[in-house]
Amino acid sequence: NKFLVDVFVPSKNTVIQWDGNYWHGHPEMLKNGIADSRQDKRMKLDKSQDAYMKKCGCTILRFWESEVKNNREDVYENIRRTISKVAKTATKTL
């Protein structure tokens, strides 16, 4: 109940975040390599949320908007590979 994520896979304790290029500060969207105040605020919040979720034992995947649009299969493969890896790790600890 602390904040909203884009996708949560409870059985794998995995969070997937879809980051808009502008709002989340993709390097190509920064002016002269510098985030504007809105981007800076969002980027700091992203880092804070990731740190909290990691402390809670979550695996976090973040994908840029442009990755999803231009490399959809790579994104899907990354998700499949991570979910599989998390499942194998969980099985070993049981």
Side-chain angles (χ1 to χ4, degrees), residues 17-19 63-73 75-76:
Q17 298 283 60
W18 312 111
D19 292 343
F63 298 99
W64 291 111
E65 164 190 357
S66 54
E67 282 182 280
V68 176
K69 287 180 180 177
N70 300 324
N71 300 309
R72 186 167 291 161
E73 281 305 314
V75 169
Y76 290 160

Side-chain angles (χ1 to χ4, degrees), residues 13-50:
N13 207 27
T14 299
V15 173
I16 302 171
Q17 298 283 60
W18 312 111
D19 292 343
N21 286 357
Y22 171 76
W23 294 107
H24 293 267
H26 188 284
E28 293 177 1
M29 302 306 277
L30 303 179
K31 191 172 187 175
N32 297 321
I34 300 170
D36 67 27
S37 61
R38 290 176 289 194
Q39 290 167 318
D40 186 57
K41 182 178 177 181
R42 182 74 244 181
M43 291 164 70
K44 287 177 181 171
L45 183 59
D46 289 345
K47 285 180 184 179
S48 173
Q49 288 178 346
D50 284 358

Side-chain angles (χ1 to χ4, degrees), residues 3-21:
F3 47 84
L4 183 65
V5 298
D6 294 323
V7 178
F8 178 58
V9 184
S11 63
K12 308 297 183 201
N13 207 27
T14 299
V15 173
I16 302 171
Q17 298 283 60
W18 312 111
D19 292 343
N21 286 357

